[in-house]
Amino acid sequence: MDFATSDTRTPLGPQSDNGLKIVVVGGFGVGKTTLVRSVSEIRPLSTEETMTQAGAAVDDVSGVREKSATTVAFDFGRITLDARNVLYLFGAPGQERFWFLWDRLFTGTLGAVVLLDTRRIDDSWYAIDRLERHGMPFIVACNDFGGPRHTPAEVRAALDLDPHIPLMDCDARSRESGKQVLITLVEHVRQLGAAPAPTAEQELV
């Protein structure tokens, strides 16, 4: 999946003293690495490795046969909200054999984005279950893979998603679309009062 990155690489200001951690989770090949890359203002850290026949024996690649690389630890990016507040983005690996890393990535997290491929909705059940067990605020973003469209009601029913959890469409390749996903999450966390958070009106640089 192609991705778009910003040509601007903004240095972190010395007055920035409030780091807010967000994790992007979801099934294998739903676009988590692409989302982190598209919105990060710095060159993102990526732990992608070329997929091999050995990996194909343990990973379910039936829905992502065009995928040639996979995250084996996590992706990392950064977005400055304002002079003092910075979002740190962590993209979690989607393969079941790396799920043991998720608990460590969840530590100190403000909230999470569950990225969803509506062609493979079942792949997101585990992510939602883990987040609910952790009591972590999250939203669900349906990544556009050009497949059949589903209504929000159909997606909510398939995921058994609580009505208060935001559900939105996105294109992980688009910086603007990715920013709207993060704004929606920050606003959701603010409304829940789960942790101090900037308002959605603060512009993502």
Side-chain angles (χ1 to χ4, degrees), residues 50-67:
T50 301
M51 295 180 63
T52 64
Q53 288 298 320
V58 293
D59 297 327
D60 181 6
V61 298
S62 57
V64 288
R65 297 203 178 275
E66 72 284 359
K67 191 171 175 61

Side-chain angles (χ1 to χ4, degrees), residues 40-52:
S40 179
E41 67 188 16
I42 61 172
R43 188 172 303 280
L45 168 67
S46 178
T47 59
E48 280 201 319
E49 296 291 342
T50 301
M51 295 180 63
T52 64

Side-chain angles (χ1 to χ4, degrees), residues 9-169:
R9 303 297 178 184
T10 307
L12 188 61
Q15 69 273 39
S16 298
D17 59 2
N18 189 24
L20 308 171
K21 181 181 177 182
I22 286 176
V23 174
V24 183
V25 297
F28 183 40
V30 297
K32 300 180 294 295
T33 297
T34 300
L35 178 63
V36 173
R37 286 177 173 175
S38 67
V39 300
S40 179
E41 67 188 16
I42 61 172
R43 188 172 303 280
L45 168 67
S46 178
T47 59
E48 280 201 319
E49 296 291 342
T50 301
M51 295 180 63
T52 64
Q53 288 298 320
V58 293
D59 297 327
D60 181 6
V61 298
S62 57
V64 288
R65 297 203 178 275
E66 72 284 359
K67 191 171 175 61
S68 60
T70 184
T71 299
V72 297
F74 60 85
D75 302 301
F76 173 76
R78 189 191 78 203
I79 299 178
T80 300
L81 293 175
D82 57 28
R84 298 190 60 183
N85 296 288
V86 178
L87 285 182
Y88 295 109
L89 310 177
F90 290 82
Q95 308 96 300
E96 183 175 355
R97 58 193 167 114
F98 295 127
W99 285 349
F100 71 92
L101 295 170
W102 285 23
D103 286 336
R104 290 184 177 272
L105 288 177
F106 288 169
T107 302
T109 299
L110 177 75
V113 174
V114 177
L115 203 56
L116 174 71
D117 179 352
T118 55
R119 302 170 302 176
R120 298 180 287 122
I121 290 179
D122 291 0
D123 290 355
S124 296
W125 286 348
Y126 178 77
I128 291 174
D129 182 64
R130 285 285 290 272
L131 292 169
E132 289 179 340
R133 291 186 181 208
H134 277 264
M136 186 183 302
F138 68 93
I139 68 168
V140 177
C142 300
N143 195 10
D144 182 11
F145 282 89
R149 303 290 295 179
H150 297 275
T151 67
E154 290 172 337
V155 176
R156 285 188 179 277
L159 294 174
D160 193 23
L161 198 64
D162 287 344
H164 75 278
I165 297 174
L167 172 68
M168 63 187 301
D169 292 326

